[in-house]
Amino acid sequence: MCSRPTDPPEGGPAVSVSSLTKTYTGETGRVTAVDDVSFDIGAGHIVGLLGPNGAGKTTTVKTILGLVTPTSGTISIHGVPVHEARSRAYNYVSAVLEGARNVYWRLSVRENLAFFAGLHGIAPQTRVDRHEAIIDTLGLTRKADEPAKNLSRGMKQKVALGCTLARETPVLFLDEPMLGLDVETTRDLQTELRRLAREEDRTIVITSHDMDIIEAVCDRVIVLSDGDIVADDSVDSLLDVFRAQSYHVKLAGRPQAQLREQLETRFQLHDWETDTDSVAFEIALAGSEEFYECVEVLRTADATVRSFTEIEPDLEDIFVDLTTPASPSRGEGES
């Protein structure tokens, strides 16, 4: 047994997906779950793979991992074609999918980490300190000698994650890795994932519905909707695109009756609320030209502006916008 798994070859993407398509035949005919999806992920990056239910996210991940056979397209992990050489590809990738099924219930936490490390060709006795660090990061120290079958569902999820980290593969796929974790453990795991990417050049793909986690950990986001990629960019770039487009406006008194109609005709208007002595609403403005146009509409209507406040977007706002069918941004991001 070797003390360390085979290092991946240098150069080229860690994960490469080219023209991936997967169709199923159901009662209503053929359904396309993933439609001609392509992307590369470089070594040392943490990427969030997002999408609403039915977007094709799970199919994409399972196909990349060799669990689902694609209808067409090619997938490779560190240059190894997944569906032609699964055993070789599995030397480079591990995953936690849909809960805690990759854990042996009769083994303790420590024994599980040692067992899964050993399956990957790592001599467990050479990784005692590392395994203890994983156990500590996941908040499992007090339960380290407890059989997994006696642990709570949340604890079992932690053990499954620990076993994946213990395999030391250069690519990790983590499905909802923070689910069930307390705040302190979540923070520690975020720090560890960033360290793995930065110091060990590990590639991490995270699927999650928690946008705060994605924004805190990932440096890039791929968003799927209806089987297509609707966005693929860095977190910072996506935030920049949507920044300063939405404003919360509050007007004094009761403005002219036609003002609302004028604003709705020209701009995207939301949440119009009328109080006894004021009106408040949210408005989306595309760039400085629309901003000044809006100001002019308010001036012409003799509206007294109490406040005009920029709404800072977050990743969840962007996700909803991109995956809503009527979204004007949707068509622009499709590929």
Side-chain angles (χ1 to χ4, degrees), residues 23 34 161 168 206 218 235 319:
T23 60
V34 181
L161 183 56
E168 300 183 29
I206 297 175
C218 298
V235 172
F319 174 79

Side-chain angles (χ1 to χ4, degrees), residues 1-10 77-78 80 87-93 117 119-122 127 167-171 202:
M1 179 180 292
C2 63
S3 62
R4 185 175 181 83
T6 303
D7 289 328
E10 295 184 2
I77 296 178
H78 279 293
V80 179
S87 295
R88 286 177 56 209
Y90 289 162
N91 287 327
Y92 299 133
V93 63
L119 284 182
H120 196 56
I122 303 169
R127 295 296 194 271
R167 291 187 66 219
E168 300 183 29
T169 55
V171 179
R202 309 273 281 277

